[in-house]
């Protein structure tokens, strides 16, 4: 409530600006932490190591560029990278044999003739969903929160560009600086980065909006675990699923790093660039903790305000 107030105290504004300056470095540090496991995973694919690493770099670059430029459509880029790896692996290793559920064999879920009614049903469901964003109000909050919860593949920072676009540019619930505050709060409070959506909901419709956003954002995950838990073992052994994750993983890592660009562009004061450099040294160079990095940047922001530096 203090961060989103119309006229917060000066020291609060300084703390917010200081914490905001560290957020882009947090995103890059998160991507660097995730990269080694993903790099090793694609190295185990059934292609030459050099070709695998080249694909990893291409997928990561695609995710990073998408996060920096077409945030709302980022999930399509992640899916495309995953499907590209599925296609390549299927072609080279023969994963797509008839007993692996090839399209067109008529079995449920394969996209063949037996699935015509399912496709029509999904098409009918898309019509009311398409009208939700235009409805505004709490329905818009629920829609944004649902997208955040359903599409957060690879880590909370993946969904930051989409959330930022909706909260700042589509619905104008908050400014770019206030959204940075929300991300910073999501880093220093208990829970995942996705909990940032609670602050977005609060900015839109107060306490009711915050509670609704939290509930809706986490519902897809709970339903997926409760309803699909028994199938996880089968998915882990499915070649197509593993190939999709191998391709989408690097793209998600690139997207996490790419999210630092729109977050960095939201910084409005020159002195914040110096704090960003210090935060990068702390988080990436020295590999220290995120909470201490953001808290330290906030403290330096307060000192900057007391020294007469401009704050928003």
């Amino acid at each position: 409530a203090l961060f989103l107030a119309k006229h917060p105290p000066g020291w609060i504004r300084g703390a917010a600006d200081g914490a905001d300056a560290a957020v882009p470095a947090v995103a890059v540090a998160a991507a660097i932490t995730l990269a080694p496991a993903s790099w090793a995973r694609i190295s185990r694919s059934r292609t030459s190591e050099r070709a695998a690493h080249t694909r990893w770099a291409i997928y990561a670059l695609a995710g990073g560029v998408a996060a920096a430029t077409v945030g709302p459509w980022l999930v399509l880029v992640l899916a495309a990278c995953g499907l590209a790896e599925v296609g390549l692996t299927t072609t080279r290793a023969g994963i797509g044999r008839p007993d692996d559920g090839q399209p067109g064999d008529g079995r449920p879920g394969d996209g063949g003739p037996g699935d015509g009614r399912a496709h029509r049903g999904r098409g009918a469901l898309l019509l009311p969903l398409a009208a939700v964003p235009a409805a505004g109000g709490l329905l818009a909050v629920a829609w944004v929160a649902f997208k955040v919860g359903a599409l957060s593949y690879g880590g909370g920072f993946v969904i930051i560009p989409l959330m930022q676009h909706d909260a700042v540019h589509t619905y104008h619930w908050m400014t770019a600086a206030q959204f940075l505050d929300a991300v910073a709060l999501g880093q220093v409070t208990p829970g995942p980065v996705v909990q940032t959506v609670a602050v977005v909901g609060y900015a839109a419709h107060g306490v009711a909006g915050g509670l609704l956003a939290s509930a809706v954002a986490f519902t897809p995950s709970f339903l997926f675990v409760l309803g699909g838990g028994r199938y996880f073992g089968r998915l882990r052994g499915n070649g197509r699923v593993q190939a999709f994750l191998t391709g989408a993983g690097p793209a998600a890592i690139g997207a996490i790093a790419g999210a630092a660009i729109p977050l960095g562009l939201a910084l409005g004061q020159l002195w914040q660039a110096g704090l960003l450099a210090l935060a990068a040294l702390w988080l990436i160079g020295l590999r220290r903790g995120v909470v201490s990095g953001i808290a330290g940047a906030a403290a330096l922001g307060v000192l900057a305000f007391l020294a007469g530096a401009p704050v928003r």
Side-chain angles (χ1 to χ4, degrees), residues 141 144 163 167 173-174 179 182 195-205 209 213:
V141 173
V144 172
M163 203 187 327
W173 291 328
M174 56 205 317
F179 182 80
Q195 191 58 34
T196 298
V197 77
V199 185
V200 172
Y202 179 85
H205 287 285

Side-chain angles (χ1 to χ4, degrees), residues 3-290:
F3 281 95
L4 294 176
K6 288 186 177 180
H7 301 289
W11 68 272
I12 288 288
R13 286 180 282 143
D17 284 354
D20 292 351
V23 171
V26 173
V28 175
I32 292 173
T33 300
L34 294 170
S38 177
W39 182 268
R41 179 187 185 118
I42 203 167
S43 298
R44 295 192 295 268
S45 64
R46 304 189 186 199
T47 57
S48 71
E49 186 172 343
R50 181 176 180 179
H53 290 165
T54 299
R55 295 199 313 279
W56 191 97
I58 292 172
Y59 296 149
L61 180 62
V65 171
T69 58
V70 291
W73 306 104
L74 171 61
V75 64
L76 297 181
V77 176
L78 300 184
C81 292
L83 292 174
E85 187 67 17
V86 171
L88 180 63
T89 308
T90 299
T91 301
R92 289 181 175 271
I95 290 178
R97 294 187 299 271
D99 61 351
D100 202 27
Q102 273 292 307
D105 64 6
R107 284 178 284 177
D110 67 357
D115 254 11
R117 285 177 294 180
H119 282 304
R120 288 193 293 271
R122 285 194 290 268
L125 286 175
L126 290 176
L127 293 176
L129 286 177
V132 171
L138 288 174
L139 276 178
V141 173
W143 174 242
V144 172
F146 177 79
K147 289 190 292 183
V148 168
L151 303 177
S152 296
Y153 169 76
F157 270 105
V158 170
I159 209 65
I160 288 296
L162 185 151
M163 203 187 327
Q164 184 180 30
H165 184 274
D166 283 348
V168 177
H169 303 293
T170 301
Y171 298 108
H172 307 288
W173 291 328
M174 56 205 317
T175 66
Q178 288 173 331
F179 182 80
L180 265 179
D181 295 344
V183 178
L185 288 171
Q187 287 293 310
V188 299
T189 53
V193 180
V194 176
Q195 191 58 34
T196 298
V197 77
V199 185
V200 172
Y202 179 85
H205 287 285
V207 175
L211 292 175
L212 176 65
S214 295
V216 173
F218 289 99
T219 296
S221 300
F222 280 112
L223 292 180
F224 182 72
V225 171
L226 293 176
R230 62 181 126 174
Y231 303 109
F232 286 171
R234 188 184 307 173
L235 291 176
R236 279 195 293 267
N238 186 287
R240 286 177 173 175
V241 172
Q242 293 306 310
F244 181 88
L245 296 177
T246 299
I253 292 171
I256 292 171
I261 295 177
L263 292 173
L265 291 175
L267 300 176
Q269 307 298 339
L270 184 59
W271 61 267
Q272 288 178 295
L275 274 188
L276 174 56
L278 288 175
L281 175 63
W282 181 263
L283 296 167
I284 301 171
L286 301 178
R287 297 182 178 274
R288 300 300 179 88
V290 170

